[in-house]
Amino acid sequence: MTTQEAKEEKPLYLGHRERLRKRFLKDDGFSMDDYEILELLLTYAIPRRDVKPLAKQLLAAYQHDLGAVLHADPKMLAEKFKIGEMPVALFKLVNTCAARMASACFSDRKTIILSNLDSVVEFCRHKMAYLDVEEFRVFYLDQQYHYIGEELLSRGTINRTHVYSREFFRHAIDAKAMNVILCHNHPNGDCKPSEEDKVLTKNLCEELTAVDISIVDHLIVTRNDYFSFSLTGLIPNSKVQEQMKIEKRKKMLAK
C-alpha cells in the first residue's frame, strides 16, 4: 500500500478528534458545547468509531443535562445505547474525581465545617442529586464543628425516605457527635421542603437537644439547587446564621 493510499484510508474522525483535543486544551473547553465535551470524553473509551452522533443522542435522551448522562444507569446505557464497560467506567471515574474534590473539606480534621458549607452542599449534590430515589445522610461534627464522619441513614422511594429517630440517636452518640448536618435529595427536582420534611426536622431538633446534640443544618439537594433549613430560619438559633454574619463582616472589613 502506498503512503497516499494509507492517507486516503485513514478514518476522517481521527483528525476531528485531534482538533477537539486542541480546542479543549486551548481554553479548557470553555468555547465547546456540551455535546463536544461529551464527544471528547467518549473518544478515550471508544477508539474506533465516530462518537459525535452518540454524544448528541445521549444528551437529547437526558434533557441536555451532561451531569445526568454521566450519572446514567449503566444497565440503561448498555441496553438502549449499546454502551460497553469502558465508557461506563470512564463516566464513573469522572464522577468519583468530582466527588473527591468536593469532599476536600472533610480530609483535614482541623477544618471548621461551618466555614465550608458550600463544599458540603456540592459534595451532597455529587453523591445524591442524580439518584432516582431519596437518600438521607448525616454528617457528624464535634463540639468545634470539625468533621468526624458521615453515614447513609436510609434509602427510600422516589419521593420518600424514612428516618427512625432512635436509630439515628444511637449512631450519633456512638460517633461522639455534638453537632450534625442532615441532608437528603429530592429526585423530582424541587428542593422545597415538604410538610413531612419540616415536621421531621422540628422533631429531631427537639429530641436531639435532650441528648445535647445540635442540628446545624438540614439540606435538601437537587440537580440544580438546594434548600437550607438554617438559612431560611426553619432551624432557630442556628450557628449557620451566626457564621454567615461573621463571614459577611470579614468581607466588609477586607474592602
Side-chain angles (χ1 to χ4, degrees):
M1 180 183 295
T2 66
T3 303
Q4 182 62 33
E5 289 173 334
K7 287 182 178 180
E8 290 175 355
E9 290 190 5
K10 184 178 180 180
L12 295 176
Y13 63 77
L14 293 181
H16 175 62
R17 291 182 172 197
E18 185 177 355
R19 290 190 294 274
L20 270 181
R21 283 194 293 271
K22 288 182 176 179
R23 282 183 59 198
F24 177 80
L25 292 172
K26 185 177 180 180
D27 62 0
D28 293 335
F30 183 78
S31 63
M32 299 170 70
D33 291 329
D34 282 354
Y35 84 85
E36 293 174 307
I37 296 293
L38 181 57
E39 179 187 1
L40 179 59
L41 189 62
L42 287 168
T43 64
Y44 293 99
I46 305 176
R48 297 180 179 85
R49 175 181 166 190
D50 179 7
V51 292
K52 180 189 286 187
L54 176 60
K56 289 185 174 181
Q57 185 183 12
L58 284 167
L59 280 170
Y62 288 92
Q63 289 74 51
H64 299 279
D65 185 339
L66 182 58
V69 175
L70 296 178
H71 286 85
D73 176 34
K75 186 178 180 180
M76 176 66 72
L77 292 175
E79 293 178 354
K80 187 173 181 179
F81 302 99
K82 310 303 178 186
I83 290 179
E85 188 177 81
M86 286 295 289
V88 169
L90 190 58
F91 289 175
K92 286 182 174 291
L93 179 59
V94 171
N95 291 332
T96 298
C97 288
R100 290 200 177 187
M101 286 188 290
S103 67
C105 64
F106 305 134
S107 61
D108 185 354
R109 295 303 171 98
K110 295 180 181 179
T111 299
I112 298 175
I113 297 300
L114 281 183
S115 302
N116 293 270
L117 281 179
D118 287 345
S119 295
V120 177
V121 172
E122 194 63 22
F123 173 77
C124 290
R125 289 180 63 194
H126 279 296
K127 296 287 288 186
M128 306 164 67
Y130 287 91
L131 297 175
D132 294 329
V133 298
E134 284 195 11
E135 284 190 351
F136 196 100
R137 291 179 180 270
V138 57
F139 297 86
Y140 300 119
L141 312 177
D142 65 14
Q143 190 170 7
Q144 287 75 41
Y145 305 99
H146 299 140
Y147 173 77
I148 299 175
E150 67 176 276
E151 188 172 9
L152 174 62
L153 281 184
S154 67
R155 180 180 287 113
T157 64
I158 192 171
N159 61 359
R160 180 170 297 181
T161 184
H162 294 285
V163 177
Y164 299 99
S165 57
R166 182 175 297 179
E167 181 181 354
F168 173 40
F169 298 159
R170 178 173 59 81
H171 286 216
I173 292 171
D174 288 345
K176 296 181 173 58
M178 297 297 293
N179 299 280
V180 296
I181 297 175
L182 312 176
C183 183
H184 77 279
N185 61 312
H186 279 181
N188 64 8
D190 184 358
C191 66
K192 293 179 181 178
S194 65
E195 286 304 314
E196 186 177 354
D197 292 334
K198 294 177 182 178
V199 170
L200 171 66
T201 305
K202 181 177 182 293
N203 290 342
L204 288 178
C205 282
E206 293 173 352
E207 293 169 3
L208 281 173
T209 300
V211 290
D212 202 25
I213 298 176
S214 299
I215 294 181
V216 176
D217 204 348
H218 183 177
L219 304 167
I220 301 175
V221 296
T222 63
R223 296 182 183 185
N224 301 309
D225 206 353
Y226 78 97
F227 183 92
S228 164
F229 276 68
S230 289
L231 295 181
T232 52
L234 291 178
I235 295 181
N237 303 318
S238 169
K239 294 294 183 181
V240 175
Q241 294 172 328
E242 294 179 19
Q243 184 65 30
M244 292 294 287
K245 292 178 181 178
I246 292 172
E247 295 296 329
K248 188 175 181 180
R249 289 194 198 102
K250 287 181 179 179
K251 290 179 181 179
M252 292 177 66
L253 291 172
K255 291 182 178 179

